[in-house]
Amino acid sequence: MLTDISTSAAPAALGELIRLLASMPDVRDMDVRNTARQVFALARGGYLPRALAYLHPRRRTPVLAVVVPAILGLGVVLTGKTDQAIGISTLGATILYVTSMLSLLVLRRREPDLERPFRAPLYPLLPILALGLAGICMAAIVVSQPLLGAFALAGFAVFFLYYQASAKARVASTRDEAPAL
C-alpha cells in the first residue's frame, strides 16, 4: 500500500536534513572522511578516548572514528532538533575561531623566534579584529540561545575534566613520539 508522500514524514525529515547540511558553517566538515580523520587524529593524539583511534586489523581503517560520529549525527537528525545542532555547530566553530586567534597572539608573544611556515597578514591588527568579531558573534549566539550557551559550557567543562583526568598525560607523551611532518 502506497502512502501519499505529501502526508508522510519523509519530506519533512529530508527537508530537515538538507537544512542541517546547508546551514553548517563549513559543509565540507560534514563529510564522513573529514570527520573520521579529525576524530581519529584527536584520539591518536590523546585528546579523545583511545578506542576511537582503533584501526581495523586487515583494512587499516579507523572503524570507530567513522561509526561513532555517524551514529551521533543520525541521532540528531532523528530527534528533529536540527536547529539546536546548527546552533551548537555555529557556536563550536566560533569558539574555535576565538581559540585560534588567542593561540596566535599568545604564541607570537611567548615564542617570538619560533620558525613559522606562514605569516598572519597585518599582524596583530587582523587577528585582533577577527578575535573581536568572533567574540561578538559568540556573545550574540549565547544571548539569543541561553540554553545552548549553558549546554556548550557544560560540554566544555566535561571535556576539560576528561582532559585533566585522562588525556593530559597521554598528550604529553605523544608529543615526544609524534613523527615529523
Side-chain angles (χ1 to χ4, degrees), residues 1-122:
M1 178 175 172
L2 295 174
T3 59
D4 182 10
I5 193 160
S6 65
T7 60
S8 73
L14 181 60
E16 287 295 312
L17 179 61
I18 290 170
R19 193 177 89 192
L20 173 67
L21 294 174
S23 300
M24 291 294 166
D26 192 354
V27 176
R28 70 181 165 80
D29 285 339
M30 287 297 296
D31 183 68
V32 173
R33 293 169 297 163
N34 287 336
T35 302
R37 285 182 185 133
Q38 292 168 356
V39 169
F40 174 74
L42 288 169
R44 187 178 60 184
Y47 293 99
L48 290 176
R50 270 285 186 220
L52 294 172
Y54 167 77
L55 291 175
H56 187 276
R58 191 176 55 143
R59 292 192 170 91
R60 306 295 296 158
T61 54
V63 178
L64 293 176
V66 173
V67 172
V68 170
I71 290 171
L72 291 173
L74 180 62
V76 168
V77 171
L78 292 177
T79 65
K81 303 288 186 186
T82 54
D83 53 338
Q84 283 92 350
I86 292 166
I88 290 168
S89 174
T90 304
L91 183 60
T94 307
I95 290 169
L96 289 175
Y97 300 148
V98 168
T99 305
S100 296
M101 291 303 109
L102 285 173
S103 298
L104 172 67
L105 295 168
V106 169
L107 186 61
R108 286 282 177 97
R109 181 166 295 262
R110 287 187 184 166
E111 301 283 342
D113 298 326
L114 187 67
E115 184 179 329
R116 293 174 172 81
F118 69 92
R119 294 279 179 193
L122 298 176

Side-chain angles (χ1 to χ4, degrees), residues 94-164:
T94 307
I95 290 169
L96 289 175
Y97 300 148
V98 168
T99 305
S100 296
M101 291 303 109
L102 285 173
S103 298
L104 172 67
L105 295 168
V106 169
L107 186 61
R108 286 282 177 97
R109 181 166 295 262
R110 287 187 184 166
E111 301 283 342
D113 298 326
L114 187 67
E115 184 179 329
R116 293 174 172 81
F118 69 92
R119 294 279 179 193
L122 298 176
Y123 177 84
L125 179 64
L126 284 184
I128 291 172
L129 179 64
L131 176 63
L133 292 173
I136 290 169
C137 291
M138 190 167 52
I141 294 167
V142 171
V143 167
S144 69
Q145 297 182 16
L147 185 60
L148 175 66
F151 176 75
L153 183 61
F156 280 106
V158 167
F159 283 115
F160 178 77
L161 292 173
Y162 165 77
Y163 178 78
Q164 291 297 321

